[in-house]
Amino acid sequence: MLTQRPQNMYGLQFGGPSPPSPESDDQSISLSSLSEWAQTDYNDHIVSPMSNEYEDEFAHDAEEFARGLDSLSLVPKSPAEKRAEIFRLVDSYYQYAINKVRAMRKSQGQPSIRHPYDTSSQDSMDLDDVESPPRSPASTELLKNWELEAQTWDMLRRLLPLRYPNRDSPKSTRHDVLRFQPCSEVWDEFLQSDISAQERKAVLECLQTSADETRRDIDDLVRDYQQRAERGDIIAYGWLHTRSAIKMQKNLNGWSGPLDPNASDVVQKLRNGSNPMVTQLDPDVATRQNRRLQPQDEFFERAIWLGCYELLRRGRSITEIRDWCVERTEVWRAVSMSAMPLSKDEAQSQFSCDPTSMLLWRRTCFALARQGGTDDFERAVYGILSGDIPSVEKICEDWDDFVFAHYNALLRTQFDAYLMKRSPQDATATITQSFPAFNAVQFHGDASSVGERLVKALETNIKTSAEAKTPMKTLQAAILSNNLDQYTYELGLALGKLANKTDTSALIPKFGSPDDGIDATKFVQLTDHNGLRVLVHVYLVLASLEELQGELHMELSERHKAKENVVSTYVSTLRLTGLTDMMPLYCNQMHGDRAFFTLSRNVTTVTDPHEREILLRLMEKLGMNVAEFVQFQPYSLLQEHPEPEDHQPPFGRFTVFSNDPPTLKYGRPFKPDFLGEPPERLNKIDEHLIQSLEWFLLVDGLWNEFFQFGTAIYKRFLKQFNFHAARALSERVRCSEIFKRKAGIVFADDSDVLWFDEVRASAAAGSLEENGIGLEEVRAAQNFFEMECLIRALDSMETIASSEQIAEDPTEQVGREFWANVSLELKKVKSFMRPILNNWLMESIEEDEDFTYLRDAYLPEIIIGYVSVLHFAGTTLTRDNLLECMELASVIAKKDADVAAVIMKAGRMKELVEGFANCSKALAISGNDKKGPGGINSKRMMREHGWTRELWSVKK
């Protein structure tokens, strides 16, 4: 996994001014117009390949999208208002993306798209003199991706209102078409009466807008043909070279008037190479005479028709088309397209002809598309106008072009059928019998699956196959075919396959069968952060609309869980890019336990308490149950990772001693670092379990719940002899800290365990009622406290064991500071041993066999080890420690003592007696007390315990 960058708590800025984009200028690419922002996988499958620059840019984009999404849940609204708000959100996403595209174009030195059409040939030619800065492949690819995203949001913002309408919307009424009723009125009635026509018109407008935004300027496209026409800057006045050739031949041969194309001398002398040349200059002459223009004029003609095709393809208005043609003195071409160009601008879509003329005009265009023209672009122009497909497909270059060709043909065919059905039969019979037209609806077959079959066909088309299988086009194909539900399901399956390719992922589980036929390469990859951002918001928008329509099934089926993989994947992306404050918003969109599961596994990277508090406040703001979330973390971890079955007996599993024989001075020697070498980091599961308890410190209440889970986690660690995890838990989540945070009870030194006895006594007396502490609360904490004492005692013992090794080394020089530290650790050991020697884990709320196991596993070893600690301290610090060891023997030997039975059960009473015997020997021969602090030196303490040193003194 790549190194994590610091967590960015962007949530603190939500609702305020957005940080400026490095590419933005005066264009606003913010969504701030909307309302204000009111398992880590144990093997990370999503890595961040982005540079810091792109990562910061992604952070800004993700923040803007999150702000918009969160605005949906601020104020309760009616379904109609909620629906309108969702549509405004989609529109804002589109505006953000398109503004981003324009800002990037400007930063890369690309010319802005001119709207409306307003240019001249000189202006166009002047662009040659402007040198654009070189663009890197990465920036070019990034711009392309944003263009695709803008197109996707544009498609959704046009189609979703049609697919999710208000159910109480008034129904349109149909009327018979009047003979002289303008087609514009009929067109409006047609669209109102046919939802599929509205969708196809919306798709066309989207494709037209996208082409107008992303394609090269038309003048740039035609420039090469213009230059090959050898006419300099002259773009008007028709076929100059053909006119000159005809005029020259007339002057040379003395011809006058119109030339007869069949005259032998005309055929022989008026030629374009080996081909006969036209003899007249009217627009249809080449088709009518089946002759050629001069080569230069053929290039000029191709430039004109290419421009006309692009004008139609980009949805320019008839006014813009006319202006473009007038500039070239070719206004007749604009007239031929004027009946129904289908502009993307609704205000310009006014058809002045009557229905009968429209029917006839379409068929005339179809005849020209199939049988007329001298150039593929000319036939494609008439193919668009007539709703033909084959003539347009010849010049299609990409996926968008093919979809445009088919949807244009379908829409025009539908309108033609509407005119035929609503017009008087006598007015249409002659037209339909005499002039054929292409029927795209019949060509495609079943109307309900036209979109699906079209996008499937584009996956096998040699021109579009590669593009059709890219993630964004796969998404757009699902939008067109109204198949987003199946798409998100397959996307979830694909993400599950990718995440589980090398290891098992709990966050992004794998669903479906291995042979489900899902091609994961067609879907967004785990490393495509921007692609995931788009997909998760598309999914959530659709889910919100389906919920409003009452079509969202709340049962957590496997299909639904697979679809939610996209949300889980995006949440992991937010974690890996440091955007942890946004995670609650997206987890809140998930259903059932998966919301808490996904959030809990991803917040493991948030270790700062302040950042955790921010997350909890954000969760509360979103209406999430913070208490349930905090409890869910340890519960789900313990359920997901149960303890391995271990049937080994508890005895002998753990030892603090080395194999060396005991010595009179130091007693039985300890094994150095008997708890094991501390690792650089804990096992991830252990770390997450400890973190899950740390979250309890930030939430009021949950006293019993904390100690229930805390005790279970301590038991888990100690049963597995996982000392590093247990020690980490004792250091990071102290029992005294729980009393301080949740009950307001503060202790100066929690290494003196008498604090717990004082709390018990005060609770019994009822003096802690204001703190919410009674005997029940103390009992709930007792086992947790006792296990904490065990691991802290072992930790201090290990420190003393290391000190013993240093003291035995003659090369080491130790001073007062060294012995002072030994004395301090000894004091801790004595303190922590008090609960261990007094019914340790014998009193619990519920009977638990695990406590018996832990007593058997640890009591014999730690008590015998405690004897050796006192032996070492008695010979190095003060003889009083040896006296305490003798007192320990009497404590264990008491009739009601619980530890003797455990030691006998373990068969280690002999070892204990030998340890006491060694202490007694050391006491017998020991000299004066050392100067170091520690032990029991006061006469008062000697009297209280009934000790006397002279009893053990050996006199000569």
Coordinates of all heavy atoms in Angstrom, one line a residue, residues 133-157:
P133 N 0.3 26.1 -26.5 CA 1.4 25.4 -25.8 C 1.3 23.9 -25.9 O 0.2 23.4 -26.0 CB 1.1 25.9 -24.3 CG -0.3 26.3 -24.3 CD -0.6 26.8 -25.7
P134 N 2.4 23.2 -25.9 CA 2.3 21.7 -26.0 C 1.6 21.1 -24.8 O 1.7 21.5 -23.7 CB 3.8 21.3 -26.0 CG 4.5 22.5 -25.3 CD 3.8 23.7 -25.7
R135 N 0.8 20.1 -25.1 CA 0.0 19.4 -24.1 C 0.5 18.0 -23.9 O 0.9 17.3 -24.8 CB -1.5 19.3 -24.6 CG -2.2 20.6 -24.6 CD -3.6 20.5 -25.2 NE -3.5 20.3 -26.7 CZ -4.5 20.0 -27.4 NH1 -5.7 19.9 -26.9 NH2 -4.3 19.8 -28.7
S136 N 0.6 17.7 -22.6 CA 1.1 16.4 -22.2 C 0.0 15.4 -22.4 O -1.2 15.7 -22.4 CB 1.5 16.4 -20.7 OG 0.4 16.6 -19.9
P137 N 0.4 14.1 -22.7 CA -0.6 13.1 -22.8 C -1.5 13.0 -21.6 O -2.7 12.7 -21.8 CB 0.2 11.8 -23.0 CG 1.6 12.3 -23.5 CD 1.8 13.6 -22.9
A138 N -1.0 13.2 -20.4 CA -1.8 13.1 -19.2 C -2.9 14.2 -19.2 O -4.0 13.9 -18.9 CB -0.9 13.2 -18.0
S139 N -2.5 15.4 -19.5 CA -3.5 16.5 -19.5 C -4.5 16.3 -20.6 O -5.7 16.6 -20.4 CB -2.8 17.8 -19.7 OG -2.1 17.9 -21.0
T140 N -4.1 15.8 -21.8 CA -5.0 15.5 -22.8 C -6.0 14.4 -22.4 O -7.2 14.5 -22.7 CB -4.3 15.0 -24.1 OG1 -3.4 16.0 -24.5 CG2 -5.3 14.7 -25.2
E141 N -5.5 13.4 -21.8 CA -6.4 12.3 -21.3 C -7.3 12.8 -20.2 O -8.5 12.4 -20.2 CB -5.5 11.1 -20.7 CG -6.3 9.9 -20.2 CD -7.0 9.2 -21.3 OE1 -6.6 9.4 -22.5 OE2 -7.9 8.4 -21.0
L142 N -6.9 13.7 -19.3 CA -7.7 14.2 -18.3 C -8.8 15.1 -18.9 O -10.0 15.0 -18.4 CB -6.9 15.0 -17.3 CG -7.6 15.6 -16.1 CD1 -8.1 14.4 -15.2 CD2 -6.6 16.5 -15.3
L143 N -8.5 15.9 -19.9 CA -9.5 16.7 -20.6 C -10.5 15.8 -21.2 O -11.8 16.0 -21.1 CB -8.9 17.6 -21.6 CG -9.8 18.4 -22.5 CD1 -10.7 19.3 -21.6 CD2 -9.0 19.2 -23.5
K144 N -10.1 14.7 -21.9 CA -11.0 13.8 -22.5 C -12.0 13.2 -21.5 O -13.2 13.0 -21.7 CB -10.2 12.7 -23.3 CG -11.1 11.7 -23.9 CD -12.0 12.2 -25.0 CE -12.8 11.2 -25.8 NZ -13.7 11.7 -26.8
N145 N -11.4 12.8 -20.4 CA -12.3 12.2 -19.3 C -13.3 13.2 -18.8 O -14.5 12.8 -18.6 CB -11.4 11.7 -18.2 CG -10.5 10.5 -18.5 OD1 -10.9 9.8 -19.5 ND2 -9.4 10.3 -17.8
W146 N -13.0 14.4 -18.6 CA -13.9 15.4 -18.2 C -15.0 15.7 -19.2 O -16.1 15.9 -18.9 CB -13.2 16.7 -17.8 CG -12.7 16.6 -16.3 CD1 -11.5 16.5 -15.9 CD2 -13.6 16.7 -15.2 NE1 -11.4 16.4 -14.5 CE2 -12.7 16.6 -14.0 CE3 -14.9 16.9 -14.9 CZ2 -13.2 16.6 -12.7 CZ3 -15.4 16.9 -13.6 CH2 -14.5 16.8 -12.5
E147 N -14.6 15.7 -20.5 CA -15.6 15.8 -21.6 C -16.6 14.7 -21.5 O -17.8 14.9 -21.7 CB -14.8 15.9 -22.9 CG -14.1 17.2 -23.1 CD -13.2 17.1 -24.4 OE1 -13.0 16.0 -25.0 OE2 -12.8 18.2 -24.9
L148 N -16.1 13.5 -21.3 CA -17.0 12.3 -21.3 C -17.9 12.4 -20.0 O -19.1 12.1 -20.1 CB -16.2 11.0 -21.2 CG -15.6 10.6 -22.5 CD1 -14.6 9.4 -22.3 CD2 -16.6 10.2 -23.5
E149 N -17.4 12.9 -18.9 CA -18.2 13.1 -17.7 C -19.3 14.1 -18.0 O -20.4 13.9 -17.6 CB -17.3 13.5 -16.5 CG -18.2 13.7 -15.3 CD -17.3 13.9 -14.0 OE1 -16.1 13.7 -14.1 OE2 -17.9 14.4 -13.1
A150 N -18.9 15.2 -18.6 CA -19.9 16.3 -18.8 C -21.0 15.7 -19.7 O -22.2 16.0 -19.5 CB -19.2 17.5 -19.5
Q151 N -20.6 15.0 -20.7 CA -21.6 14.4 -21.6 C -22.5 13.4 -20.9 O -23.8 13.4 -21.1 CB -20.9 13.6 -22.8 CG -21.9 13.1 -23.8 CD -21.1 12.3 -24.9 OE1 -20.3 11.4 -24.6 NE2 -21.4 12.5 -26.1
T152 N -22.0 12.7 -20.0 CA -22.8 11.7 -19.2 C -23.8 12.4 -18.3 O -25.0 12.1 -18.3 CB -21.9 10.8 -18.3 OG1 -20.9 10.1 -19.2 CG2 -22.7 9.8 -17.5
W153 N -23.3 13.5 -17.6 CA -24.3 14.2 -16.8 C -25.3 14.9 -17.6 O -26.5 15.1 -17.2 CB -23.5 15.2 -15.9 CG -22.8 14.6 -14.8 CD1 -21.4 14.6 -14.6 CD2 -23.3 13.8 -13.7 NE1 -21.1 13.9 -13.5 CE2 -22.2 13.4 -12.9 CE3 -24.6 13.4 -13.4 CZ2 -22.3 12.6 -11.8 CZ3 -24.7 12.6 -12.3 CH2 -23.6 12.2 -11.5
D154 N -24.9 15.4 -18.8 CA -25.9 16.1 -19.7 C -26.9 15.1 -20.1 O -28.1 15.4 -20.2 CB -25.1 16.6 -20.9 CG -26.0 17.5 -21.8 OD1 -27.0 18.1 -21.3 OD2 -25.7 17.7 -23.0
M155 N -26.5 13.9 -20.5 CA -27.5 12.8 -20.9 C -28.4 12.5 -19.7 O -29.7 12.4 -20.0 CB -26.7 11.6 -21.3 CG -27.5 10.6 -22.1 SD -26.4 9.2 -22.6 CE -25.3 10.0 -23.8
L156 N -27.9 12.4 -18.5 CA -28.8 12.1 -17.4 C -29.8 13.3 -17.1 O -30.9 13.1 -16.8 CB -28.0 11.8 -16.2 CG -27.3 10.4 -16.2 CD1 -26.3 10.4 -15.1 CD2 -28.3 9.3 -16.0
R157 N -29.3 14.5 -17.1 CA -30.1 15.6 -16.8 C -31.3 15.8 -17.8 O -32.3 16.4 -17.5 CB -29.3 16.9 -16.7 CG -28.9 17.6 -18.0 CD -27.9 18.7 -17.8 NE -27.6 19.3 -19.0 CZ -28.1 20.5 -19.4 NH1 -28.8 21.2 -18.6 NH2 -27.7 21.0 -20.6

